Amino acid sequence: GGASSTAQKDHLEYLYENYRCPYRKETYCLSTSELDQLKKLLETSEVEESSQKEHKNNQDEPESKTTKAKIIFDTDIGTDIDDALALLMLLHLPPEDYTLLGITTVYGYTQIRAEIARKILNAYHSSHSSQTSPPPPIHPGVQRPLGTHRPVWHTHTEGHPLLTAEQISNIKKNHPMFVGHDNEPKIFTSEEPPLNTSMTTSGYIHTRKVTQEERKEFNKNGVFRTCDAADWIVKTVEQHPNEVTLLCLGALSNVALALRKAPHISKLIKNVVYMGFGKPLPMTAVSPEHRTFLQFEFQTGSDEEQNKFTKKKVVHAFYPNHNLSSDTLAAVEVFANKDLKISVVNDTVTNRLWWSGEHTNALLNASYTQSELDVLEKGSEEGLEVKRGETKQPEENRVVGTLLKVWLMYRTSIFYKKVRGTCPHDALATAEAVYPKKFVKYVRGRVLIHEWAGFVSFVVDENGNHEIGMEVEAKEFTKFLSETLVKEENGVNVKEE
């Protein structure tokens, strides 16, 4: 923790790239420069006791909608089901409330993620004859994190069973290599076992440098190429100045790379809605040397007490969540950008949600059977009408229902007990992108992302350009989610799978 960061200096070096630490065993540490930044945030924060009540009340009010949101949906869809639920919910919202400009995928096998998104979009457009315009574009994005000490992690259920094993194998074969932030080509490999004590080794994907022979072969076959999500983000923001909401549901790699390529777009982005940050950090998670070294007070106590955010000159610290630590350096750069307005829908609020019951079962029961998947693989829809009549579900629900079934089976297998529901993290963030402050209450301030492991420090500041969630209308949102995903006219089948 004592080294000064060079990340923002040259955008190339991540100081802890080769540091190995067991998963979730990291402790909160600050470099010298980060400590100075945090002290400055505390010294300059402007939250007077007399104004806190008024400030909080202002945060409570939903924003009035004068124009519909124009959204770039940046996602690591295909692993956790919450991305797919978020996309399905978005597609079912009134079209006058938003415009989906396009989808970008991030983290690991981004081409497979793009194919999953394409399956959902195509299913939606095939089910809704009123959709005269073509589906919005989908752009695979950054595969390799710009900087993190953690290896890329997958469940290896990505794409199954919507894509056949052969299709998935061909995608990986045709896109086996990706370019890192240093423009040095890397290739996916499983040669190096992860130093990890709490997750299965099969979930990790490691990389190695490409040999000169491989580089020549890849160039000859036209496979050596970068993904274009960042370039498309730049172009789209320039085409819609001060109108675009970046909805970021995975690592911030695509956004960080777009800002590196075109720094001027930070002034053209309307806002960023980010699903990130873990739960509040207790003092026991702070490294011992920093407990006495820090010259300011930490907000401690129960989760309820920590969520009040009422003390002046107090650091509120948070664990990283998967999205943040998947690319720590990208998060450091995005949150350090003073031009970006960022709303964080964090685990503090999303962990109060649980989606299960009759609507979940209805979506599960809409999933494809294996025989239907075989029919679809042949490019024919003959034989699907009977199942459609039974479920009354639109085709996009059938696609997402199939993904939901795979996700719950996976979760059941790793927890050794039946899992019947899921936490809709990304769906809440999506709702907040379309309907700001409808379900979440925020507190405004300034965020500092620590380069080691992605720990978060937050200082309340009414003039800050960041806001993080502190309360959520959980029952109201889960009801909204259920009714949006599974319409009453489609029927609700309560039979459990």
Side-chain angles (χ1 to χ4, degrees), residues 66-315:
T66 55
T67 58
K68 64 180 183 180
K70 293 185 177 180
I71 292 175
I72 292 177
F73 191 92
D74 188 56
T75 175
D76 57 356
I77 194 169
T79 303
D80 193 322
I81 189 60
D82 59 339
D83 297 77
L85 292 177
L87 180 56
L88 181 62
M89 184 194 75
L90 182 66
L91 293 173
H92 285 181
L93 294 178
E96 61 269 20
D97 287 351
Y98 77 98
T99 298
L100 178 57
L101 297 174
I103 296 174
T104 54
T105 59
V106 70
Y107 191 69
Y109 293 131
T110 55
Q111 290 88 355
I112 292 177
R113 301 191 191 283
E115 289 303 313
I116 295 168
R118 187 170 286 109
K119 291 278 187 182
I120 297 172
L121 284 187
N122 288 346
Y124 174 77
H125 279 257
S126 70
S127 293
H128 298 266
S129 57
S130 60
Q131 293 291 324
T132 56
S133 59
I138 301 172
H139 294 266
V142 180
Q143 297 172 296
R144 179 180 187 270
L146 306 188
T148 180
H149 72 291
R150 290 181 177 175
V152 177
W153 182 80
H154 291 71
T155 61
H156 293 302
T157 61
E158 288 82 7
H160 297 284
L162 299 178
L163 303 175
T164 66
E166 182 179 4
Q167 288 172 324
I168 292 172
S169 177
N170 286 337
I171 290 174
K172 292 180 179 179
K173 181 179 178 181
N174 293 329
H175 302 272
M177 190 181 68
F178 56 96
V179 176
H181 58 277
D182 55 358
N183 290 321
E184 186 64 30
K186 307 287 194 305
I187 190 170
F188 288 126
T189 177
S190 57
E191 295 172 359
E192 178 189 359
L195 293 177
N196 185 283
T197 59
S198 60
M199 301 291 284
T200 60
T201 57
S202 62
Y204 285 87
I205 296 174
H206 291 265
T207 62
R208 62 171 172 80
K209 290 186 176 180
V210 175
T211 65
Q212 289 299 319
E213 291 74 17
E214 288 172 329
R215 186 196 294 259
K216 292 177 182 177
E217 185 66 22
F218 287 137
N219 281 332
K220 182 177 70 175
N221 293 334
V223 178
F224 173 49
R225 57 178 178 263
T226 58
C227 297
D228 70 341
D231 293 321
W232 179 81
I233 288 174
V234 171
K235 182 178 70 173
T236 304
V237 169
E238 290 175 337
Q239 290 173 344
H240 303 274
N242 304 309
E243 295 181 328
V244 174
T245 294
L246 292 179
L247 174 58
C248 301
L249 305 179
L252 289 168
S253 314
N254 287 333
V255 179
L257 187 56
L259 291 167
R260 289 181 182 184
K261 289 173 173 284
H264 68 279
I265 68 168
S266 64
K267 296 180 183 296
L268 303 178
I269 296 170
K270 179 181 178 182
N271 67 314
V272 177
V273 177
Y274 173 55
M275 196 284 120
F277 300 7
K279 63 182 181 180
L281 188 74
M283 182 61 75
T284 52
V286 179
S287 60
E289 65 270 23
H290 284 86
R291 294 178 198 173
T292 55
F293 183 55
L294 296 177
Q295 299 299 309
F296 43 78
E297 180 184 4
F298 271 86
Q299 175 79 334
T300 59
S302 67
D303 283 355
E304 183 177 352
E305 291 170 336
Q306 291 193 43
N307 292 340
K308 291 180 179 177
F309 297 102
T310 55
K311 289 187 177 180
K312 184 182 178 184
K313 308 299 183 184
V314 170
V315 175

Side-chain angles (χ1 to χ4, degrees), residues 354-366 391 393 397 404 420-421 478-479 481-483 485-488 490-497:
W354 188 250
W355 190 63
S356 62
E358 61 181 9
H359 290 85
T360 310
N361 293 330
L363 197 59
L364 277 172
N365 291 332
T391 63
Q393 296 290 324
N397 283 36
L404 176 62
R420 303 178 186 275
T478 51
K479 181 175 184 291
L481 175 65
S482 294
E483 294 175 351
L485 292 180
V486 183
K487 306 288 186 181
E488 283 190 17
N490 298 138
V492 177
N493 188 344
V494 298
K495 175 185 174 184
E496 292 189 0
E497 285 287 314

Side-chain angles (χ1 to χ4, degrees), residues 373-392:
L373 290 168
D374 293 340
V375 170
L376 291 173
E377 182 185 349
K378 296 175 183 178
S380 169
E381 294 192 0
E382 183 180 353
L384 297 183
E385 295 301 325
V386 174
K387 181 71 174 180
R388 282 177 179 154
E390 291 175 356
T391 63
K392 301 180 182 179

